[in-house]
Amino acid sequence: MTGAPPPSLWLDGPKRARRAPLEGDATADVAIVGAGIAGLSAAYALAREGARPIVLERDEIAGAASGRNAGFILAGVAENYVAACRRYGPERTSRIWRFTVANRVLLAAIAQRHRIECDLAWKGSVQQAGDDEEWEEIRESARALGSPNVRVSLDPEHRSAVYAEDGEMHPVRFVRGLADAAEGLGARIHESSPVIEVARDRVATRAGTVRAGAVVIATNAFTAGLTSARIVPIRGQVLATAPVAARIFPRPVYAHRGYRYWRQ
C-alpha cells in the first residue's frame, strides 16, 4: 500500500498541532514504529514499567486503521465462537476469547485512570445471523459460552445474540488519549517521521536514527515496506449518514460473520 489513505470520519474534526518529527539521533529502551492503538499501547505499557520508549509515526496518531474502524470493543474474533473454533481450533479460540476479555478490562481501566473522553459506553453488542446456518452457529456459541462469566442472551425473533459486556467508543479520541497518557509516563512520540530502515537495534528516518535495545513494529498493512513479514491489506468500505434523532440501534451490531457491522 502506498500513499495517504482517504479522510476518516473519526479524524474529521478540529485540526490539532502534531507532535514534532524526529530531528537528529536518539536512544531509547524500545523503539516503536507506528502510533496506532498497538504501538501506543506498547509504549504506554513499557512506560508504566519504567522503560523509555520512543514512538515514530510516518503520518499522524491513529491516522490509519486505528482511526478507520467502527470503534467496537468486542470479545473474541469477527466470526461467532463456533465458526472460530472450526477455523482456529477450540484451544486457540478459547485463548483468544480470554485475551480479548482481559483487554476489554484493561481498556476501561486506562480510560478511567487517565480520564480519556472517548464516548466509551458498555451497552453490549449484537451478533446477527445472515442465514439459517449462521443462526444455528450463534445459538451453539451462546450455549458454549453461556456462564456467570459470559452474559449472553438469545433473541429468536431476530435470530441474534446479545453479549451484554461488550462496548463501543470513539477510536481516535481513545488513541489520542492513550498517546497523552504514554507521554505523561515518559514515552516520546514523533509524528511526521517516516521510517526508512529497521534493524534489531535501531530505526532510521531521513532526519535521524533511534538506537534501542529492542524494536517493535506496529504498522499493520504498511509493514511490507519495512520487513519481509507478509500482511495482506483487505479493502473495506464505510458509509456514514447524517445524525438521526431517533435511537434505532441501542448497541453495535455484527452481522454475516463479521462482514457487515454497524452502530449508531
Side-chain angles (χ1 to χ4, degrees):
M1 293 180 66
T2 59
S8 159
L9 172 70
W10 304 116
L11 290 161
D12 184 16
K15 296 299 179 184
R16 61 177 188 88
R18 292 192 184 185
R19 288 161 171 84
L22 179 70
E23 295 288 348
D25 297 339
T27 60
D29 293 320
V30 181
I32 300 170
V33 186
I37 193 168
L40 289 171
S41 293
Y44 175 82
L46 287 162
R48 281 202 80 195
E49 294 299 319
R52 298 177 301 109
I54 291 180
V55 182
L56 300 175
E57 165 59 44
R58 75 170 197 168
D59 188 29
E60 67 175 313
I61 289 170
S66 293
R68 298 165 196 283
N69 59 79
F72 289 9
I73 310 169
L74 310 181
V77 298
E79 294 178 304
N80 61 67
Y81 189 79
V82 166
C85 285
R86 213 165 39 234
R87 181 185 294 270
Y88 305 113
E91 191 278 331
R92 183 175 296 175
T93 300
S94 177
R95 187 151 46 91
I96 292 171
W97 183 274
R98 294 193 303 271
F99 176 85
T100 52
V101 167
N103 183 68
R104 206 169 52 191
V105 175
L106 288 171
L107 187 151
I110 290 170
Q112 182 178 34
R113 182 182 302 125
H114 299 284
R115 296 185 174 88
I116 300 174
E117 297 294 336
C118 58
D119 301 332
L120 188 59
W122 301 101
K123 299 176 183 176
S125 71
V126 174
Q127 277 189 5
Q128 180 74 55
D131 53 37
D132 292 341
E133 181 183 6
E134 189 177 9
W135 171 227
E136 182 56 34
E137 292 172 354
I138 287 174
R139 289 194 297 179
E140 288 183 32
S141 298
R143 285 194 290 268
L145 289 167
S147 71
N149 296 322
V150 181
R151 292 164 50 208
V152 53
S153 58
L154 289 170
D155 180 354
E157 181 182 355
H158 297 100
R159 303 211 305 178
S160 63
V162 176
Y163 286 82
E165 293 158 313
D166 287 338
E168 59 189 298
M169 67 177 177
H170 189 301
V172 169
R173 290 178 188 165
F174 176 78
V175 176
R176 287 176 177 172
L178 187 61
D180 293 339
E183 278 188 326
L185 294 167
R188 290 173 53 188
I189 302 170
H190 297 285
E191 295 176 274
S192 305
S193 300
V195 170
I196 58 174
E197 184 182 356
V198 172
R200 292 178 64 88
D201 61 351
R202 68 185 184 280
V203 174
T205 72
R206 298 194 186 280
T209 297
V210 177
R211 296 192 175 276
V215 174
V216 173
I217 299 174
T219 49
N220 203 358
F222 302 96
T223 301
L226 297 174
T227 75
S228 59
R230 184 174 181 268
I231 296 179
V232 180
I234 301 298
R235 180 174 180 267
Q237 293 174 306
V238 176
L239 171 68
T241 75
V244 177
R247 191 68 183 177
I248 302 171
F249 302 105
R251 55 184 64 86
V253 182
Y254 237 51
H256 297 258
R257 295 181 174 82
Y259 284 100
R260 297 185 179 91
Y261 45 93
W262 59 91
R263 59 180 282 206
Q264 187 170 347

